[in-house]
């Protein structure tokens, strides 16, 4: 895994997952999967609060709920690009932050996901916020392992 800060207001993260590209992409576009890993450790994303219309101009909405105190953190974004299973791009409506995720098939059932964020608000660039984001990638990896066990891989 590499994590780097390419420029002011931008963040990049790269993670390799032990799962096929098509599955990793589906997990990022289907509420039934997103509910299991969306958000950092300590928050949940209830299925009934996730809307995905994965097409250019379609919406991506989630509500993260703080597991300790019930605080709710809604997010709304609009898809700019959806190229299954290679690329997702969306822009958050409130912050104007744009997230680009590219999915590279590494063979042998592994996928490299590169996430590049632009117009990142200052609060999201703090070490604590980045650690939270990385913990969501950890949750994603754990969820993918659960799916692999369930499928007998």
């Amino acid at each position: 895994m590499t994590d780097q800060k390419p420029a002011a207001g931008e963040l990049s993260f790269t993670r390799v997952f032990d799962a096929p590209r098509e599955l990793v992409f589906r997990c990022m576009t289907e509420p039934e999967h997103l509910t299991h890993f969306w958000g950092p450790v300590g928050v949940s994303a209830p299925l009934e609060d996730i809307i995905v219309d994965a097409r250019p101009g379609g919406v991506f909405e989630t509500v993260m709920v703080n597991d300790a105190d019930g605080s709710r953190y809604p997010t709304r974004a609009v898809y700019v690009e959806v190229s299954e299973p290679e690329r997702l791009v969306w822009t958050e409506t409130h912050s104007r932050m744009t997230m680009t995720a590219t999915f590279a098939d590494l063979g042998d059932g592994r996928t490299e996901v590169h996430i590049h964020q632009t117009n990142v608000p200052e609060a999201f660039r703090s070490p604590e916020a980045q650690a939270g984001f990385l913990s969501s990638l950890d949750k994603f990896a754990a969820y993918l392992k659960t799916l692999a066990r369930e499928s007998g891989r």
Side-chain angles (χ1 to χ4, degrees):
M1 167 182 58
T2 59
D3 304 313
Q4 53 188 328
K5 192 181 289 190
E10 297 185 14
L11 295 172
S12 287
F13 305 91
T14 301
R15 180 72 63 101
V16 175
F17 295 104
D18 291 322
R21 179 170 67 166
E22 291 75 13
L23 175 61
V24 174
F25 188 92
R26 275 197 327 270
C27 285
M28 288 290 297
T29 58
E30 295 178 1
E32 297 77 14
H33 290 298
L34 285 163
T35 191
H36 294 280
F37 65 86
W38 191 257
V41 169
V43 304
S44 55
L47 180 60
E48 63 271 11
D49 292 328
I50 301 174
I51 298 170
V52 177
D53 181 8
R55 62 177 176 81
V59 298
F60 175 65
E61 295 182 7
T62 64
V63 176
M64 292 184 293
V65 179
N66 183 307
D67 295 335
D69 66 14
S71 298
R72 296 171 63 83
Y73 306 98
T75 299
R76 186 175 198 279
V78 175
Y79 286 100
V80 176
E81 179 182 343
V82 178
S83 301
E84 186 175 349
E86 296 93 15
R87 188 171 154 99
L88 287 173
V89 180
W90 68 66
T91 300
E92 292 185 358
T93 58
H94 62 285
S95 69
R96 306 307 307 154
M97 180 173 71
T98 297
M99 193 282 308
T100 301
T102 55
F103 304 79
D105 184 349
L106 299 178
D108 198 27
R110 295 180 318 126
T111 303
E112 179 182 87
V113 177
H114 179 76
I115 298 168
H116 184 81
Q117 300 168 324
T118 59
N119 300 318
V120 179
E122 183 74 32
F124 293 178
R125 289 182 262 156
S126 73
E128 296 82 10
Q130 289 182 54
F133 183 81
L134 291 172
S135 76
S136 69
L137 295 178
D138 294 341
K139 285 171 54 177
F140 192 12
Y143 176 66
L144 289 166
K145 284 182 184 177
T146 299
L147 291 178
R149 280 193 304 273
E150 289 173 359
S151 71
R153 277 189 54 208

